[in-house]
Amino acid sequence: MGFADSIDQLTRAGVKFEPGLTSHEFADIEQLYCFTFPPDLRDFLGHALPVSAGWTDWRHATPTELRSRLNWPSEGICFDIEHNAFWPNSWGQKPINISDACKIARKAIDAAPRLIPIYGHRYIPDRPHESGNPVFSVHQSDIIYYGEDLLDYLCNEFLDQFERSKLAIESVKQIELWSEIANSGG
């Protein structure tokens, strides 16, 4: 099944779509928000733009709304650093001062692939800039794989054709920082 088929099935499942993003719209979004859509997400959103509740509406959402969704992973991780003792070993010794700890976290997050919101708190990394990046469910530091790739994710979330329990971590492309957190159980 390709994206055209999944869009047809998503439409039958109640998802509303508008015409896909144009090359000009993609370029404007990427320049404004400093990321590059991976090829498979670009292909999907170029076919049709989902505009139902929960979807990231790249055409109609305000810049404030889009920045909020783009900043969600960073904000959630800093929340868990402050309130839930989250701290990956790879970041070294955790500073006592929460502000210092969040600076280290934000530096690591800024160096990692940018997570691009798809639907709700489901995100796909912008790097590597190739098709087949995994989709993550991101809620604070509770980060799990939600699909081996975008099409897998769409089937899992909306079409009931994918069983998450069969997703083998060793078969999923590993993404700097995000896979480390997902593989460690948050």
Side-chain angles (χ1 to χ4, degrees):
M1 173 172 62
F3 289 121
D5 293 330
S6 66
I7 290 167
D8 288 343
Q9 291 186 25
L10 288 166
T11 300
R12 286 193 293 277
V15 176
K16 293 183 175 101
F17 287 93
E18 287 187 359
L21 295 173
T22 66
S23 58
H24 180 73
E25 287 174 311
F26 279 116
D28 287 349
I29 293 165
E30 290 173 340
Q31 181 179 15
L32 185 60
Y33 300 105
C34 301
F35 70 83
T36 302
F37 285 99
D40 46 1
L41 183 57
R42 178 182 284 272
D43 186 31
F44 176 70
L45 296 175
H47 272 86
L49 178 66
V51 293
S52 294
W55 289 90
T56 302
D57 185 343
W58 294 102
R59 185 175 286 137
H60 301 291
T62 68
T64 300
E65 292 168 329
L66 292 172
R67 280 191 184 90
S68 177
R69 292 195 74 174
L70 286 161
N71 291 332
W72 169 267
S74 177
E75 296 300 321
I77 286 175
C78 284
F79 179 89
D80 274 0
I81 288 170
E82 183 174 354
H83 299 284
N84 296 315
F86 173 75
W87 192 259
N89 291 333
S90 64
W91 292 352
Q93 183 71 25
K94 181 179 178 181
I96 294 171
N97 182 296
I98 295 301
S99 177
D100 291 341
C102 283
K103 284 179 188 174
I104 291 169
R106 289 184 199 281
K107 184 176 178 182
I109 292 165
D110 289 346
R114 184 87 184 261
L115 292 183
I116 303 168
I118 301 169
Y119 174 83
H121 52 91
R122 310 296 192 253
Y123 288 78
I124 191 168
D126 70 340
R127 295 189 327 255
H129 186 66
E130 58 192 33
S131 295
N133 291 341
V135 172
F136 296 98
S137 175
V138 179
H139 189 267
Q140 294 164 218
S141 62
D142 182 14
I143 298 174
I144 62 172
Y145 297 104
Y146 231 74
E148 189 169 327
D149 57 28
L150 181 60
L151 191 54
D152 227 11
Y153 160 70
L154 293 171
C155 291
N156 175 38
E157 185 86 63
F158 300 100
L159 305 177
D160 293 329
Q161 295 179 2
F162 177 75
E163 295 181 28
R164 279 187 54 244
S165 61
K166 292 184 180 179
L167 183 65
I169 289 175
E170 59 274 0
S171 71
V172 177
K173 186 186 299 180
Q174 297 297 289
I175 305 297
E176 178 188 351
L177 178 64
W178 309 112
S179 290
E180 174 190 353
I181 296 171
N183 295 343
S184 71

